[in-house]
């Protein structure tokens, strides 16, 4: 992500932090390969590899997974599943730092008890614990593509439930035009939240029609396990046709509202990270092209596709909104 104020702009001069994060990761991978990790008695910790990258033991929801895959959602031609290790060690989660290597720091997040408030324009405002919610929702696995605004991409086997199921539970009234999501706020465990120039807590929002769309998925798991903390435990959003920043992590509050909320990145730089943020290779970011994306696994650049290839499911949402900046 790119930030407008000069005193932090420097770290953003390289799109996607090429020099500071990914190269480090690849070097480590090479080291492990070279040493023949499997056969040698060298611990991951000694090599500085994340041993806690998927610490789902002790998670009370662990026994729920794996869940049945919904075969309707496929990755598409030429796309393979991004290895778990890549997805769990290359993350954006600004609460824990403004770089990609936050997986260890994110383990400080306490995910039980975890209460989610559902409020605003609903018949049944409620506060519900994550394990109660998990019991009420029909869990399934879906393979989704994921495209970050920084022009890298991956694929993920998410587990969770369709947002429409949560809407049935909450029963929004006729005033509910938007859904606003809010992440936890606790600067005692999330050092990024001490950076006062960011408008914490992280907030995202979509329209009620978008929230009802079949693609809108509430994530509770990944790779057949509870979703790891660095990927947004215990509850995050997956909006695979939008740039990744819309897929808010570690949700504590879901508010149905009449007015369009302002999201975290929109507040920082509205011209770069707008409300709609649908993927479109033909609409460049003000500072870089969106025509292609770098596959995190192979490093290859592949062509980007409008709505990240999910036009069949979502294009109709936008047919009467052509006057809006749908792709920023
Ligand atoms: N709360 C919160 N949610 C967030 C972010 C964040 O910094 N904080 N980053 C977003 C961005 S920019 C991206 S690309 C994805 C990254 O998800 P991943 O780390 O699981 O790949 O999370 C999104 N959700
Ligand atoms: Mo992103």
């Amino acid at each position: 992500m790119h930030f407008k104020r000069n005193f932090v702009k420097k770290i953003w001069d390289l799109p996607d932090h090429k020099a500071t994060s990914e190269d480090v990761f690849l070097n480590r991978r090479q080291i492990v390969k070279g040493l023949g990790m499997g056969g040698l008695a060298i611990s991951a910790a000694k090599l500085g590899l994340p041993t806690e990258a998927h610490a789902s033991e002790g998670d009370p929801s662990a026994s729920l997974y794996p869940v049945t895959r919904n075969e309707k959602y496929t990755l598409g031609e030429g796309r393979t599943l991004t290895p778990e290790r890549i997805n769990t060690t290359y993350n954006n989660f600004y609460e824990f730092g403004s770089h990609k290597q936050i997986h260890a720091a994110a383990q400080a997040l306490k995910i039980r008890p975890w209460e989610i408030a559902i409020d605003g324009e609903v018949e049944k405002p409620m506060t519900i614990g994550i394990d109660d919610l998990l019991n009420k929702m029909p869990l399934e696995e879906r393979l989704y593509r994921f495209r970050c605004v920084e022009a890298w991409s991956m694929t993920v086997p998410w587990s969770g439930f369709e947002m429409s199921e949560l809407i049935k539970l909450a029963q929004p009234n006729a005033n509910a035009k938007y859904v606003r999501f809010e992440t936890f706020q606790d600067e005692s465990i999330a050092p990024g939240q001490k950076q006062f120039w960011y408008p914490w807590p992280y907030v995202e929002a979509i329209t009620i029609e978008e929230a009802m769309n079949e693609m809108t998925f509430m994530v509770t798991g990944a790779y057949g396990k509870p979703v790891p903390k660095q990927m947004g435990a215990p509850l995050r959003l997956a909006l695979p046709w939008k740039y990744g920043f819309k897929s808010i992590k570690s949700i504590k509050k879901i508010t149905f509202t009449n007015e369009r909320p302002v999201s975290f990145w929109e507040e920082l730089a509205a011209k770069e990270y707008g409300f709609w943020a649908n993927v479109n290779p033909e609409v460049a970011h003000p500072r870089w092209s969106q025509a292609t994306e770098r596959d995190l696994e192979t490093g290859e650049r592949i062509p980007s596709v409008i709505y990240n290839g999910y036009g069949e499911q979502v294009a109709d949402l936008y047919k009467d909104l052509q006057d809006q900046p749908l792709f920023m």
Side-chain angles (χ1 to χ4, degrees):
M1 305 299 278
H2 293 251
F3 185 56
K4 60 186 170 184
R5 281 197 217 174
N6 287 335
F7 62 103
V8 290
K9 195 172 173 190
K10 268 211 163 111
I11 58 167
W12 294 119
D13 284 349
L14 287 172
D16 195 13
H17 296 190
K18 266 202 162 97
T20 55
S21 53
E22 195 205 8
D23 291 357
V24 174
F25 169 71
L26 289 174
N27 288 341
R28 284 179 180 170
R29 257 179 115 201
Q30 290 312 115
I31 292 167
V32 175
K33 247 190 178 167
L35 287 173
M37 188 68 161
L40 284 179
I42 294 176
S43 75
K46 278 198 188 124
L47 285 169
L49 288 163
T51 49
E52 71 298 277
H54 215 139
S56 62
E57 307 88 47
D59 185 313
S61 69
S63 63
L64 297 176
Y65 303 96
V67 293
T68 306
R69 180 175 297 173
N70 184 337
E71 301 288 351
K72 183 169 175 195
Y73 304 99
T74 57
L75 296 178
E77 218 179 302
R79 299 298 299 269
T80 53
L81 208 50
T82 304
E84 180 177 2
R85 177 164 290 283
I86 293 180
N87 251 324
T88 53
T89 54
Y90 186 95
N91 303 98
N92 271 334
F93 202 164
Y94 278 67
E95 285 82 346
F96 296 101
S98 49
H99 51 85
K100 302 292 187 279
Q101 307 298 311
I102 54 74
H103 48 87
Q107 304 313 309
L109 180 63
K110 221 178 135 229
I111 55 169
R112 292 298 186 288
W114 189 276
E115 305 264 293
I116 300 135
I118 301 176
D119 62 11
E121 302 287 351
V122 290
E123 297 305 324
K124 292 191 175 168
M126 67 179 93
T127 299
I128 185 166
I130 183 67
D131 296 301
D132 282 349
L133 185 64
L134 282 165
N135 279 332
K136 284 195 192 343
M137 294 291 126
L139 299 181
E140 60 180 62
E141 182 180 73
R142 294 185 182 188
L143 309 185
Y144 273 6
R145 297 180 291 274
F146 183 101
R147 171 45 159 97
C148 175
V149 73
E150 296 163 334
W152 52 264
S153 68
M154 59 190 190
T155 62
V156 199
W158 298 119
S159 307
F161 53 89
E162 224 173 86
M163 173 95 203
S164 61
E165 297 288 339
L166 184 135
I167 292 178
K168 275 187 226 159
L169 180 74
Q171 299 178 29
N173 63 40
N175 292 326
K177 302 273 191 289
Y178 298 92
V179 190
R180 178 186 184 275
F181 304 85
E182 191 178 297
T183 298
F184 74 90
Q185 170 107 47
D186 183 356
E187 59 173 63
S188 75
I189 54 114
Q193 292 186 327
K194 291 186 182 141
Q195 298 181 307
F196 60 86
W197 53 89
Y198 289 112
W200 307 112
Y202 199 104
V203 165
E204 259 310 335
I206 52 179
T207 65
I208 190 84
E209 291 81 15
E210 290 176 324
M212 288 294 297
N213 187 271
E214 64 166 285
M215 293 311 298
T216 302
F217 200 59
M218 304 232 61
V219 168
T220 60
Y223 294 93
K225 287 172 267 191
V227 66
K229 294 176 181 183
Q230 64 271 34
M231 290 175 76
L235 183 69
R236 77 172 288 174
L237 206 54
L239 301 164
W241 72 100
K242 291 179 178 285
Y243 292 120
F245 66 88
K246 297 290 294 183
S247 293
I248 183 173
K249 296 178 169 181
S250 303
I251 296 165
K252 290 246 55 167
K253 194 159 133 177
I254 302 173
T255 306
F256 291 79
T257 168
N258 202 6
E259 273 169 50
R260 189 162 111 180
V262 178
S263 67
F264 180 84
W265 289 108
E266 190 181 8
E267 189 159 333
L268 283 168
K271 292 203 181 78
E272 306 200 355
Y273 313 107
F275 173 78
W276 299 99
N278 296 309
V279 174
N280 188 343
E282 288 178 12
V283 179
H285 182 276
R287 287 182 285 124
W288 60 87
S289 165
Q290 297 289 26
T292 63
E293 59 203 54
R294 187 172 49 83
D295 182 297
L296 277 193
E297 183 189 4
T298 63
E300 276 166 34
R301 294 214 77 93
I302 55 177
S304 292
V305 182
I306 190 162
Y307 298 118
N308 201 20
Y310 296 107
E312 194 185 313
Q313 290 90 347
V314 303
D316 263 5
L317 289 169
Y318 307 107
K319 62 180 190 304
D320 299 327
L321 296 170
Q322 295 302 314
D323 56 326
Q324 300 277 318
L326 291 172
F327 306 105
M328 298 289 286

